[in-house]
Amino acid sequence: MADMNPAGMYLMSLSSGTSSNPAAWPMPMLMTHFGSWNTMFMGMGFVLDTQQSGPRGGDKLYSPNWFMASAEHPVGQKGAFDFNLMLSLDPATITGERYPLLFQTGETAYGKPLVDAQHPHNFIMGLGFHYAHQLGGNTTADVCFAPVGDPALGPVAYPHRASAEELPQAPISHHWQDASHIADEVLTVGITHRKVRLEASGFYGSEPGENRWIIQGGPINSWAARFWFLPAKNWAAQVSVGRIAHPEALEAGDQVRATASLEYTQPMANGSWSSSLIWGRNHSTATHRNLNSYLAESVLPIRRGNFITGRVELVDKDELFAGEPDIEARVDALSGSTFRIGAYTIGYTRDVKVFRLVETGIGANFSSYSLPEAIKPYYGNHPIGGNIFVRFRLRPAEK
C-alpha cells in the first residue's frame, strides 16, 4: 500500500474497534489507495430462513448484514490516522425489530424485553477516528474516539470474529461477552509493546435504543480495561473487565462484566481453520447475581470452498420469562430464577462461483438445546432450530 508506516499497518490490522483476530487470519477485504490515502473495504450479508420448534420457537426470513470502509493516512514517519465507518441495513431487512433465536435475551422491542429473539444491529454500527504513533521500534501508542464504536471490553465481536464467519445467527452468550461492540461516545487509549497490549476505555453504557437509524448519545459513564497477549501470528488472547452503567432499559442497576478469550487461526491450502474459546460473566449490581457463559466455536475448511462450522455454548439465563410475571413466579418457586442453557450448533457452507468480487456460499446449520426440567413445559422437552442461508462476502481482489 502507498506509504504505509508501522503505525498505519497497526491500524489497518484491527478488526472491531481496537480488538484483533490472530494476525495469521487472511482478513477478507479489498484494499486500494487514493493518492496518499490507503483504503480498505469489507462486507458481509446473509439471506436466511430460520425454523424453530417448541411452544416458544419461531420462523422468519430475514437478512443480517454489514459493510465497513476504512481510510488510513500517514502522519509523518511514525504516525498514522484512520477513519472508519461501518453500516448495516438490519433495521430494514430484519422486520419487527427481532429475529427468532431460542433462549436469546437482551434489549427491548416495542417497549418489551426481547426473549427468544435477537435484536437487529444499528444502521451506524461504527464511526471512529483513530490515531497511532510509533514510540520506538517495538512500542506503539494509540488513541481512538468513536461516536459509535467498540470499547476495550470482550473478544472480537461475533460479526467480525474469524471463527464465526459462517454462522449468521448471534451466540446466545452475546450479552455476556461482546454486546458492547456498538456503544456510544467511546474514548480508548492504548499502548502496544512487542507481544502485549494494554487498553482502557470510557463510554456511554446504555444499550442502543429501539430507533436503530440514529446515533444516540449520553455522558461517558462507564469504563473498561483490556489486556492482550499476542504470542505468535496464529494466536490472540485477551482478558478484560468493565463496569457498564445501566445497560438494559428495563433493568435496574449496572453490570460488571469480565471476559477472557483465546483465538487461534491456522492458514491451510483450502482456507483458514479458526477457533475461539470465550468466557464471559455479568454481575448485576441490582440483583447481585453472577451469571456465567462459556463458548467454543470453530470453522474448518475441508476442501476448497467447503466449510464445517460448530458452536457450543453454556449460559446462565435469568430473563427467560421477563415480562411474564405469573410464569416467572411459578418457575421461581419450583427451581429458582437462573437456568443453565446449553446450545449446540453444527453447520456446513459451500462456496459457489457467482460474482468475481463476492464470495457467495450456500449453507445450513442445526442447533439443539439442553435445559432444566423446570422450564421444559414452556419450551418443550427437546427444542431445536435450523437455518438455511445464502452468504455474500467481499472477496479480496487477488483471489
Side-chain angles (χ1 to χ4, degrees):
M1 299 299 291
D3 301 322
M4 188 176 290
N5 58 30
M9 297 281 288
Y10 165 80
L11 291 176
M12 295 294 272
S13 69
L14 300 174
S15 298
S16 172
T18 59
S19 63
S20 298
N21 282 295
W25 182 53
M27 197 180 300
M29 60 184 174
L30 295 170
M31 298 189 71
T32 186
H33 62 269
F34 298 93
S36 56
W37 287 90
N38 298 301
T39 60
M40 176 271 287
F41 303 94
M42 299 177 67
M44 176 88 79
F46 293 89
V47 177
L48 70 150
D49 182 75
T50 293
Q51 301 286 327
Q52 297 176 331
S53 74
R56 298 166 75 97
D59 58 85
K60 191 167 192 171
L61 178 68
Y62 58 100
S63 175
N65 54 82
W66 59 268
F67 175 81
M68 176 176 161
S70 180
E72 178 272 342
H73 193 282
V75 180
Q77 295 184 344
K78 295 186 176 182
F81 167 81
D82 175 80
F83 166 76
N84 63 78
L85 174 67
M86 187 182 305
L87 303 176
S88 172
L89 290 177
D90 276 11
T93 59
I94 299 176
T95 58
E97 299 189 12
R98 75 193 74 198
Y99 64 80
L101 184 59
L102 280 169
F103 300 103
Q104 183 67 301
T105 57
E107 300 200 23
T108 63
Y110 306 107
K112 297 181 179 180
L114 279 170
V115 180
D116 301 311
Q118 169 66 27
H119 61 80
H121 288 120
N122 285 25
F123 172 60
I124 300 179
M125 290 180 67
L127 172 63
F129 308 89
H130 201 165
Y131 176 75
H133 190 88
Q134 189 179 23
L135 301 178
N138 298 305
T139 304
T140 300
D142 63 298
V143 59
C144 178
F145 174 67
V148 182
D150 191 346
L153 180 60
V156 178
Y158 78 88
H160 317 290
R161 197 159 60 229
S163 57
E165 270 209 310
E166 303 297 335
L167 291 167
Q169 70 271 29
I172 65 170
S173 53
H174 172 49
H175 284 266
W176 279 244
Q177 298 169 357
D178 55 357
S180 60
H181 74 111
I182 301 179
D184 298 297
E185 312 297 348
V186 182
L187 179 63
T188 301
V189 294
I191 188 162
T192 303
H193 180 70
R194 296 183 183 272
K195 300 177 180 180
V196 299
R197 183 188 310 160
L198 183 63
E199 304 166 311
S201 294
F203 58 102
Y204 178 54
S206 296
E207 294 275 12
E210 292 186 26
N211 185 347
R212 299 189 178 274
W213 293 102
I214 65 171
I215 297 177
Q216 69 182 31
I220 294 179
N221 57 10
S222 306
W223 62 267
R226 180 166 58 191
F227 174 79
W228 288 93
F229 179 50
L230 309 166
K233 290 185 176 181
N234 303 88
W235 296 93
Q238 67 84 31
V239 293
S240 57
V241 65
R243 186 180 179 110
I244 310 171
H246 194 56
E248 297 285 351
L250 299 182
E251 289 185 30
D254 301 346
Q255 284 183 2
V256 179
R257 181 172 299 155
T259 80
S261 63
L262 178 65
E263 297 179 60
Y264 173 82
T265 290
Q266 177 60 56
M268 303 173 68
N270 300 319
S272 293
W273 175 28
S274 295
S275 302
S276 298
L277 295 174
I278 303 172
W279 166 78
R281 185 184 70 183
N282 283 333
H283 170 79
S284 169
T285 62
T287 65
H288 303 289
R289 293 175 184 155
N290 290 319
L291 302 178
N292 288 282
S293 69
Y294 309 88
L295 177 147
E297 184 180 79
S298 191
V299 54
L300 174 66
I302 50 176
R303 291 183 180 179
R304 181 168 294 278
N306 293 268
F307 305 92
I308 297 293
T309 58
R311 177 186 283 160
V312 176
E313 299 178 81
L314 294 174
V315 190
D316 298 330
K317 295 277 182 173
D318 68 347
E319 298 175 313
L320 294 177
F321 303 102
E324 301 175 275
D326 292 343
I327 297 177
E328 190 172 36
R330 192 179 311 133
V331 174
D332 185 63
L334 290 173
S335 60
S337 56
T338 300
F339 310 101
R340 172 64 59 88
I341 305 298
Y344 314 94
T345 301
I346 186 71
Y348 169 75
T349 309
R350 170 61 188 256
D351 275 346
V352 292
K353 292 184 178 180
V354 180
F355 307 106
R356 184 173 66 89
L357 293 180
V358 177
E359 294 177 324
T360 306
I362 299 174
N365 61 57
F366 171 84
S367 297
S368 62
Y369 301 90
S370 61
L371 63 161
E373 289 289 333
I375 64 174
K376 286 184 176 180
Y378 307 98
Y379 282 93
N381 290 331
H382 303 288
I384 58 174
N387 298 289
I388 300 173
F389 59 85
V390 180
R391 179 259 292 145
F392 303 97
R393 180 171 58 225
L394 280 182
R395 180 196 303 269
E398 63 270 19
K399 284 192 176 182

